Amino acid sequence: MAAGDLAQAWALLQLESDYRAAWQAHAARPVYEDGTTFPVRIRSDADRLVERDWSLLAWADPDGDAVSAFFDVPMLEGEGSMSASPRLPMLDAAGARIEGLRLDGGALVLKVEDHGMAVQVRIADPSPLLAGGGVRLFHDWGLALPAAIARLGNLWSVSGGGSVEDPSAGSGPSPRHGIGGRAHGNGNGRN
């Protein structure tokens, strides 16, 4: 599911009367971890019900201001890293909404929303990230290469780098071209 698709799916689900009724009947007040630099919600027993019935990892208020809910979909995989640049404070300062969901077993789903889009990253060991580090993304390149490239493009779009189709459309840094991010000509008309 593409980043824009998460927002569209949530917009449709917010209108669904059956979801609204189920949210009223079953959603519990969220509980958040203490001492984190961004909200990290702890998954509840009630959230397991919404996963089964609505393919969400946690209940989301249909009248809330979130661009997207935590969807149970294939997502980027990452790990917290003290050596990776801590980009979340920069995204937060630029107006992105950052939220986490602690899954059973300790993994974290990190959700970043900006420009009406959302992207999720599953982080198996988030402790370095929560201690002020960054995120290192990884993927086992295989037959799912186009889907992985699309998810990385979604992350670039949501983090202010513009759309994959028009990288200059974002509010972030200018697009990178060529080797090491420098525009260059190599004599054959390709960069």
Side-chain angles (χ1 to χ4, degrees), residues 5-17 19-20 71:
D5 293 344
L6 291 176
Q8 286 181 326
W10 177 235
L12 291 172
L13 195 56
Q14 286 175 295
L15 300 173
E16 178 62 46
S17 61
Y19 175 79
R20 287 178 163 277
F71 279 93

Side-chain angles (χ1 to χ4, degrees), residues 57-84:
L57 294 171
W59 287 102
D61 183 351
D63 294 319
D65 61 352
V67 170
S68 175
F70 285 99
F71 279 93
D72 185 15
V73 296
M75 61 188 86
L76 291 169
E77 297 283 331
E79 65 184 12
S81 170
M82 290 308 290
S83 62

Side-chain angles (χ1 to χ4, degrees), residues 44-107:
S44 69
D45 288 336
D47 292 330
R48 287 174 195 73
L49 189 68
V50 76
E51 181 178 17
R52 182 193 71 203
D53 295 342
W54 297 97
S55 297
L56 297 177
L57 294 171
W59 287 102
D61 183 351
D63 294 319
D65 61 352
V67 170
S68 175
F70 285 99
F71 279 93
D72 185 15
V73 296
M75 61 188 86
L76 291 169
E77 297 283 331
E79 65 184 12
S81 170
M82 290 308 290
S83 62
S85 296
R87 303 276 187 216
L88 294 183
M90 177 190 71
L91 291 173
D92 182 52
R97 180 180 177 149
I98 300 162
E99 190 176 7
L101 176 66
R102 180 72 71 166
L103 300 176
D104 303 333

Side-chain angles (χ1 to χ4, degrees), residues 114-169:
D114 199 20
H115 298 97
M117 298 177 66
V119 69
Q120 297 178 161
V121 179
R122 185 182 183 283
I123 303 170
D125 178 12
S127 54
L129 171 66
L130 297 175
V135 175
R136 180 173 294 139
L137 298 175
F138 60 92
H139 189 280
D140 292 330
W141 302 107
L143 295 177
L145 180 62
I149 294 295
R151 287 194 297 269
L152 287 170
N154 294 337
L155 179 63
W156 177 252
S157 296
V158 171
S159 63
S163 70
V164 174
E165 295 81 20
D166 181 11
S168 64

